[in-house]
Amino acid sequence: MGLDGTKILDGDTAWCEYNHFVDLYDEGYSFEQLRAKFPFIGSAYENLKLDKEIYVTSIGLAYWEVGMLTEQDLAFIKR
């Protein structure tokens, strides 16, 4: 198990979720399909404070990289 560090993608949870997202994006999943598969609210980490923060920032990075990060998503990440 990797330790989480100061970067967005510095731990197992972050890399796992980010790479899963990127793999599905590369397979041709639509933005709607990706958003349904990787929601900010209602994720598997919803009740785990640190893991939720890691998940939200890593998926937020993935959203941003593919051009699907909205102002609403960014506001959620900032909260």
Side-chain angles (χ1 to χ4, degrees):
M1 176 180 218
L3 297 175
D4 296 311
T6 58
K7 297 179 183 176
I8 291 174
L9 298 176
D10 245 356
D12 291 345
T13 299
W15 277 112
C16 180
E17 296 295 341
Y18 175 83
N19 285 329
H20 188 199
F21 179 99
V22 172
D23 288 345
L24 295 179
Y25 176 79
D26 289 344
E27 288 178 21
Y29 277 56
S30 70
F31 285 177
E32 293 79 19
Q33 290 172 310
L34 290 167
R35 191 170 291 278
K37 185 105 174 129
F38 298 95
F40 286 133
I41 300 171
S43 73
Y45 304 104
E46 190 67 30
N47 296 319
L48 305 170
K49 187 173 180 162
L50 178 60
D51 286 337
K52 180 181 177 184
E53 183 177 329
I54 293 166
Y55 170 82
V56 166
T57 55
S58 62
I59 294 303
L61 175 63
Y63 274 28
W64 176 74
E65 288 180 345
V66 301
M68 63 184 270
L69 187 70
T70 66
E71 289 297 322
Q72 185 178 10
D73 296 332
L74 187 56
F76 181 81
I77 292 168
K78 287 180 179 181
R79 278 194 317 268

